[in-house]
Amino acid sequence: MSVLPLVFTSGWASGINAYAVVLLLGVFGATGITDEVPDALQRPDVLIVAGVLFLCEAVADKIPYVDSVWDSVHTVIRPVAGAVVGALLAGQSGSLPDLAAGAIGGSTALTSHLVKAGTRMAVNTSPEPFSNIALSTAEDLGVAAIISFALFHPVAAAVIAGTLLLLGVAILAFLWSRIRRFRRRRAQLREERRLAAAREAGPPR
């Protein structure tokens, strides 16, 4: 079977939590659960780095506004991770050119990353932190579940990932007006603080 469904699914998951994808695939390969995982992802140093960064993301991703900063930093990292994982998976199976797999994994990761980052911006308009924690936990569990499922049922997992991606794009489009209002309100508050500080400072002598 072509590795394309697994590449697509891993790309979608990488756009949400690339470190979890690398860690899960590496652990599944190293423990012999599947032989679909390339050796490069099973290396101990790769697993250790992925594990540490996963723990960092698990914390940062649940803190309002910190999660958006983290997402901004990972705008390049997640698509690159999706492309690299896709190319490695293609090289392992030999059923899809590495370049094509990298393009599919990277573009899918970029799309899901933009959906995740935009959704978090909308969630951050809420004053309470619990929605961030709930959404982050759901994302972590979803990535773990779909990567595990994809290793044994790649086509079905790819259908689920594609459905979630389309649903995420639709939700983001619906929330975009809320995001724009939030950003305008923040800019207005910053301007009001600047004017207030200027008045308190008084005229220059």
Side-chain angles (χ1 to χ4, degrees):
M1 181 179 294
S2 171
V3 75
L4 178 59
L6 182 57
V7 169
F8 178 84
T9 303
S10 65
W12 172 84
S14 295
I16 297 174
N17 194 326
Y19 305 125
V21 173
V22 173
L23 182 61
L24 284 169
L25 289 176
V27 169
F28 285 144
T31 55
I33 294 177
T34 177
D35 57 0
E36 297 291 330
V37 180
D39 293 338
L41 296 179
Q42 302 179 38
R43 290 170 42 185
D45 55 335
V46 172
L47 293 177
I48 291 172
V49 172
V52 171
L53 292 174
F54 169 74
L55 292 176
C56 293
E57 176 150 337
V59 175
D61 205 42
K62 294 174 176 60
I63 303 173
Y65 300 108
V66 174
D67 59 350
S68 290
V69 174
W70 186 269
D71 286 338
S72 297
V73 173
H74 285 75
T75 300
V76 175
I77 296 174
R78 287 170 182 159
V80 169
V84 171
V85 170
L88 289 173
L89 290 172
Q92 176 79 357
S93 71
S95 61
L96 183 69
D98 295 3
L99 185 60
I104 294 169
S107 58
T108 307
L110 176 61
T111 305
S112 64
H113 163 76
L114 294 175
V115 170
K116 170 188 170 75
T119 304
R120 285 309 182 85
M121 290 176 64
V123 170
N124 281 335
T125 62
S126 174
E128 44 75 32
F130 303 107
S131 53
N132 297 74
I133 296 173
L135 185 57
S136 176
T137 302
E139 289 171 350
D140 292 342
L141 293 176
V143 166
I146 200 164
I147 288 296
S148 302
F149 186 60
L151 289 172
F152 305 101
H153 306 282
V155 176
V159 171
I160 295 172
T163 302
L164 291 174
L165 185 61
L166 292 175
L167 182 61
V169 170
I171 292 174
L172 182 59
F174 174 76
L175 294 174
W176 185 245
S177 60
R178 181 177 179 180
I179 296 172
R180 292 177 62 186
R181 286 196 302 270
F182 171 68
R183 297 183 71 176
R184 284 198 300 267
R185 187 164 63 247
R186 286 187 64 189
Q188 182 180 357
L189 289 173
R190 284 197 299 266
E191 181 64 17
E192 290 174 354
R193 293 193 193 101
R194 187 186 67 81
L195 293 174
R199 285 195 297 268
E200 291 177 1
R205 297 178 181 179

